[in-house]
Amino acid sequence: MLRWLKEPLLHFLILGALIFLVYGWMSNERRPDEIWISSGQQDNLINTFTRTWQRPPTPAEFKGLLDDYVREEIAYREAMAMGLNDDDVIIRRRLRQKLELLAEDVASLSAPDDAQLQAFLDENKDEYLIEPSFSFRQIYFSPDLRDDPVVDSRALLAELQAAPESVDYSAMGDPIALPHRIDDARLSEIARVFGSDFSTQLAAVVSAQIAGADGGQASAQEIGQAGQAKDQGTDQTIGQWAGPLQSGFGLHLVLITHHVPGSEPSLEQVRDGVQRDWFSVRRREAVDSLYQRLAGNYTIEIEPLEVGLSAEAANVEEAVK
């Protein structure tokens, strides 16, 4: 019983009935040819003007607001009397929008508790995963400036792996409008700059180095990525230069200096986003539930399309059925 009383659709129907009764009562109190502007409506005009212009209206401006409101009411009543709203697509869409907004507002009345948010997070955890981040150094080899950038990059890689860590790599390779040093960049950010192929290879290098450092005791995913890195000719010794990696610009040697693996966040880390998405889902469910229930009040018939339609139109008809 209590669960039924908390049903958002029940609240929507009760609120709609109250609005209908109040509107009917007010309509019966006034003649059809009478336009009544209440004090509440006048306050709304003043408040709207004040929010827009950051000051209250002058007496002349307020008179203009009242005149415009009267004109709007007259236009509305005359247009309805003339049937100008019949079969008007814009009006139909606007009325649908208002109906759905009312249902969404009712669904948003009650805020979720932590248990509901945690359950929502558990059901949709893939959407809130914290991306892995990387800090690395890169040396670029241009395919336009070199006859064989693969050979050149591998030759330099051998030198770097044998050189001390303090070697000045910034002067090596070819010029590019990208920094030699990238710090704490998320994988998606790296993909946007260097391309998705580069970010995939970079993650594979990390997995390969982790697998090598663990003596081969790595997860199946890490081992698979390590194999991919090996096939691409990347170095698997942790803390050393690796490559070459292919990007949208050319080839790169990379030295990964810091890596934070991806993780599942706690509710506190993503509370705002989870709550926002929870409300979004509940509003959508409220609208869907409203239409499902109201559709029971109607007999819906779809006239078959004429013979000789194009194959595409026939497919549309079949999909509707």
Side-chain angles (χ1 to χ4, degrees):
M1 181 66 177
L2 292 177
R3 183 177 180 181
W4 183 76
L5 292 175
K6 294 180 180 180
E7 174 63 39
L9 181 61
L10 175 63
H11 302 162
F12 169 76
L13 294 176
I14 294 175
L15 182 60
L18 290 174
I19 294 175
F20 178 79
L21 291 174
V22 171
Y23 179 78
W25 175 77
M26 293 179 65
S27 299
N28 292 333
E29 289 292 316
R30 302 287 174 186
R31 302 193 313 271
D33 59 347
E34 180 180 0
I35 295 176
W36 166 253
I37 306 178
S38 67
S39 59
Q41 290 168 323
Q42 295 178 59
D43 288 339
N44 184 58
L45 292 175
I46 294 173
N47 293 334
T48 301
F49 183 97
T50 301
R51 286 195 302 269
T52 303
W53 300 101
Q54 301 299 307
R55 62 173 178 82
T58 65
E61 289 170 334
F62 181 58
K63 182 180 182 304
L65 294 175
L66 292 175
D67 291 343
D68 186 69
Y69 182 88
V70 170
R71 288 192 176 192
E72 182 178 284
E73 184 65 23
I74 292 173
Y76 169 76
R77 295 189 185 188
E78 293 298 322
M80 293 292 290
M82 296 170 64
L84 298 182
N85 62 309
D86 295 341
D87 298 324
D88 189 301
V89 175
I90 296 178
I91 292 178
R92 286 167 59 92
R93 289 175 180 173
R94 180 58 177 163
L95 291 175
R96 172 185 174 179
Q97 184 184 47
K98 293 186 69 173
L99 177 66
E100 293 179 357
L101 286 175
L102 182 57
E104 291 176 356
D105 288 343
V106 173
S108 301
L109 290 177
S110 57
D113 56 28
D114 284 359
Q116 291 173 303
L117 291 179
Q118 184 63 57
F120 184 85
L121 175 59
D122 293 340
E123 293 172 3
N124 304 276
K125 59 182 179 182
D126 289 345
E127 299 180 15
Y128 301 96
L129 293 177
I130 297 177
E131 285 188 86
S133 64
F134 302 84
S135 297
F136 63 95
R137 314 294 179 255
Q138 64 92 15
I139 300 174
Y140 171 65
F141 292 83
S142 171
D144 298 325
L145 300 177
R146 295 176 181 268
D147 294 332
D148 196 336
V150 175
V151 172
D152 293 346
S153 61
R154 287 179 176 173
L156 180 59
L157 175 62
E159 295 179 14
L160 288 171
Q161 290 176 342
E165 296 181 1
S166 59
V167 64
D168 181 14
Y169 64 88
S170 61
M172 299 177 180
D174 300 320
I176 186 175
L178 291 174
H180 290 285
R181 174 173 175 168
I182 310 293
D183 290 320
D184 299 324
R186 294 190 180 277
L187 195 60
S188 60
E189 297 171 343
I190 296 172
R192 282 195 296 270
V193 175
F194 290 88
S196 58
D197 289 343
F198 180 89
S199 64
T200 300
Q201 295 171 66
L202 189 69
V205 169
V206 172
S207 297
Q209 294 181 350
I210 291 174
D214 291 342
Q217 301 298 318
S219 68
Q221 181 181 7
E222 289 172 340
I223 293 173
Q225 290 175 325
Q228 178 185 1
K230 184 176 181 181
D231 292 341
Q232 294 168 345
T234 57
D235 181 72
Q236 297 186 49
T237 304
I238 191 167
Q240 290 194 358
W241 286 89
L245 307 187
Q246 180 73 51
S247 77
F249 304 98
L251 297 179
H252 305 257
L253 298 181
V254 297
L255 172 64
I256 300 172
T257 59
H258 186 64
H259 165 59
V260 178
S263 61
E264 295 182 8
S266 66
L267 178 59
E268 290 306 315
Q269 290 177 288
V270 291
R271 174 180 293 275
D272 291 342
V274 171
Q275 182 165 298
R276 181 174 58 251
D277 294 341
W278 186 93
F279 274 119
S280 178
V281 170
R282 292 300 173 268
R283 287 193 293 265
R284 185 167 63 251
E285 290 177 347
V287 172
D288 291 342
S289 176
L290 172 66
Y291 280 121
Q292 289 174 2
R293 300 194 183 210
L294 294 180
N297 300 329
Y298 299 88
T299 300
I300 302 173
E301 298 181 2
I302 301 176
E303 183 179 6
L305 297 176
E306 298 179 4
V307 179
L309 291 173
S310 65
E312 183 177 349
N315 291 335
V316 172
E317 178 186 10
E318 188 65 25
V320 171
K321 291 179 181 180

